Amino acid sequence: MPTLASYLADPRPMVRLRAVMAAGTEPSPDELELLVEQCAVEPDLQVREMLTWALIRLPAEVVVPRLLRELDRPEPQARSQALHTLSKLHDSAVYPQVAERLTDIDPGVVRTAWRAAVVLAPAEDRPDLARTLAVQLGHGDRETRLALSRALVGLGAETIAPVLAAAATHRTEAVREHAADTERLLHDPDAGSALARERARREVALGRTRSAKG
């Protein structure tokens, strides 16, 4: 008889998706290890989302400690998926461990840590988190900048107002621009796509200018 392990080893994403869905429909702590291990290697985004759903259906007291162990795994996907799943469990007690990943060596893990930290940070830690995130303003590609803007906006207008005000007068133009983009996103949640397009146009124009000068 096929087992969850055999289904998860199937090369067809739909087979794996259905297996994880079945595991989440009738959650069993006995399947925790298999589900967590699959998170580190699963190539399909939809299946990974279903893995998160299946995991949060299990008792938090067994899931949370197991996910925290994943944060020290060498595989970036294991760390990122654990952060994502922890954010869905809404247990603010794990915020210190999540905050440690804000300086992860992998950019994708860092972006996931931003989102998770915003969800999990206790009220008293949110101003410090805003300052930590604001240090990254002006850095990274347009995807990273938009992700950071969204994370900052998630902290709320009152929390991020001081850091945006400081960034607006920064000596570096990229920081000032990023702060302005974040301010726009704060007041217009639908501005994300427009900001991404505008950033792309800026990068293209800057590239052409550099080429001309070179």
Side-chain angles (χ1 to χ4, degrees):
M1 177 180 294
T3 62
L4 177 59
S6 65
Y7 282 128
L8 292 177
D10 194 288
R12 295 167 294 179
M14 188 54 64
V15 172
R16 301 195 302 275
L17 182 67
R18 289 172 179 164
V20 177
M21 187 181 301
T25 301
E26 296 183 8
S28 169
D30 292 340
E31 295 175 337
L32 171 63
E33 195 65 27
L34 277 173
L35 295 172
V36 172
E37 285 296 327
Q38 188 67 19
C39 287
V41 298
E42 175 55 52
D44 187 87
L45 177 59
Q46 190 175 6
V47 179
R48 292 202 301 271
E49 284 298 315
M50 190 61 67
L51 283 164
T52 288
W53 173 79
L55 284 168
I56 66 176
R57 298 264 295 161
L58 292 169
E61 60 268 22
V62 299
V63 175
V64 170
R66 183 63 187 85
L67 290 176
L68 290 177
R69 284 161 47 197
E70 292 295 285
L71 297 181
D72 294 320
R73 289 264 302 254
E75 304 91 341
Q77 182 171 303
R79 303 196 300 276
S80 183
Q81 194 67 20
L83 287 165
H84 176 63
T85 305
L86 285 167
S87 74
K88 301 298 182 182
L89 288 163
H90 297 282
D91 181 358
S92 61
V94 305
Y95 174 71
Q97 293 95 323
V98 169
E100 290 178 3
R101 292 295 113 200
L102 293 170
T103 55
D104 196 279
I105 61 173
D106 184 87
V109 175
V110 170
R111 288 194 296 268
T112 306
W114 290 342
R115 295 190 295 269
V118 168
V119 171
L120 297 171
E124 63 272 19
D125 291 314
R126 293 172 81 79
D128 282 342
L129 176 58
R131 287 189 286 271
T132 298
L133 295 182
V135 171
Q136 301 301 320
L137 285 168
H139 297 284
D141 58 20
R142 58 180 177 271
E143 179 186 358
T144 298
R145 291 187 183 199
L146 184 55
L148 180 61
S149 291
R150 284 173 170 155
L152 283 165
V153 167
L155 289 172
E158 185 175 343
T159 301
I160 67 173
V163 299
L164 290 185
T169 60
H170 198 276
R171 64 180 181 276
T172 303
E173 182 182 3
V175 175
R176 298 196 301 272
E177 287 181 349
H178 197 175
D181 289 345
T182 304
E183 187 75 33
R184 285 174 56 192
L185 191 63
L186 178 65
H187 298 292
D188 180 9
D190 295 326
S193 297
L195 289 173
R197 290 193 298 270
E198 183 176 327
R199 174 60 61 184
R201 286 194 295 270
R202 288 178 194 163
E203 291 176 0
V204 169
L206 183 59
R208 287 174 178 167
T209 300
R210 287 175 175 164
S211 297
K213 289 179 179 178

